[in-house]
Amino acid sequence: RQLVELYILNIFFIELEGETWLSKNNWVISEDPCSFEGVTCQQITIPVESGEVEILQKSGPSYKPIGQTVSVVRSIKLPSNGVKGHLPVELGLMSLTELDLRNNEIGGPLPYMFPQSLEMINLSHNMFSGEIPQTLGQCHSLNKIQLENNMLTGQIPSSLAHLDNLKVLKTHGNQMEGVVTSQFCLDMLHLLTLTADCKNREVECDCCTECH
């Protein structure tokens, strides 16, 4: 598994012009992705009986893990790090829970595939273009999506209404338009924060908590 993650992170480094990053400690030069700048890992155990991955839950001195213990990449956080280029689709094959690349210069479209294990994604203050992919609605653990201040177009995807854990959705500062439907608003009553460019009605949104 670690070899696969190392391969994907090397693609990530190349596609996002890693040689120009402000800080890139251990990227490429190390074979341990858990040592890379901005990368955090978590130990998990793979039970011998089933091969299924289970998170280690240590419970007292009598705890003894069964099966193989491995480290899995859980977060990539490289905010304000001079990151450029395009986000590779291979990132969707990882088991990330957090992706924080805010305040960089990443452009191009958002990838059509994100890790379904994602809980938080912050790609704000970049140069992403195109539409927010409907497939983002397949990441059912998401509780925070921040895509503000990019160059995104189109509408807020209806598929995001399927994200029952979502609390924060920020889309303002883009070139989006259209109508946030009343059905979407009803489905998203659990949202604490919903932002859009609705101040001048580029986006019609009666349930937004903030209009920009």
Side-chain angles (χ1 to χ4, degrees), residues 5-144:
E5 291 182 333
L6 183 62
Y7 172 74
I8 294 173
L9 289 175
N10 282 335
I11 294 175
F12 180 89
F13 186 83
I14 294 169
E15 292 292 323
L16 294 173
E17 303 181 27
E19 292 297 340
T20 67
W21 295 356
L22 300 179
S23 184
K24 53 179 183 292
N25 293 337
N26 288 334
W27 281 82
V28 180
I29 63 173
S30 172
E31 294 185 358
D32 177 14
C34 301
S35 70
F36 292 179
E37 175 88 16
V39 172
T40 303
C41 293
Q42 181 181 29
Q43 280 195 330
I44 62 173
T45 187
I46 303 175
V48 173
E49 296 83 3
S50 65
E52 294 179 355
V53 176
E54 292 181 356
I55 301 210
L56 287 174
Q57 303 266 339
K58 293 192 176 182
S59 54
S62 62
Y63 170 80
K64 293 181 180 179
I66 300 175
Q68 181 185 10
T69 299
V70 297
S71 293
V72 175
V73 174
R74 287 303 196 196
S75 71
I76 301 176
K77 297 181 180 180
L78 294 167
S80 306
N81 199 41
V83 182
K84 305 174 184 178
H86 299 82
L87 208 56
V89 69
E90 288 85 355
L91 208 61
L93 298 174
M94 302 188 73
S95 298
L96 295 177
T97 58
E98 294 183 87
L99 180 62
D100 183 358
L101 299 172
R102 68 184 187 274
N103 297 324
N104 283 295
E105 300 173 48
I106 309 170
L110 295 171
Y112 65 85
M113 181 171 63
F114 283 96
Q116 294 195 11
S117 52
L118 269 181
E119 297 174 5
M120 184 278 284
I121 181 169
N122 191 338
L123 301 177
S124 62
H125 298 271
N126 276 284
M127 298 186 295
F128 288 104
S129 57
E131 298 186 1
I132 301 172
Q134 290 280 356
T135 49
L136 192 59
Q138 298 173 2
C139 303
H140 295 291
S141 297
L142 274 170
N143 58 63
K144 183 181 291 186

Side-chain angles (χ1 to χ4, degrees), residues 152-197:
L152 297 169
T153 56
Q155 302 184 33
I156 296 176
S158 58
S159 63
L160 299 189
H162 302 151
L163 301 178
D164 295 335
N165 296 311
L166 194 63
K167 301 299 181 186
V168 175
L169 174 58
K170 294 187 176 184
T171 66
H172 64 272
N174 284 288
Q175 300 169 18
M176 300 172 68
E177 56 187 9
V179 178
V180 177
T181 65
S182 56
Q183 185 59 55
F184 184 91
C185 290
L186 285 172
D187 291 338
M188 300 297 278
L189 288 175
H190 53 277
L191 270 181
L192 301 178
T193 301
L194 174 59
T195 73
D197 293 314

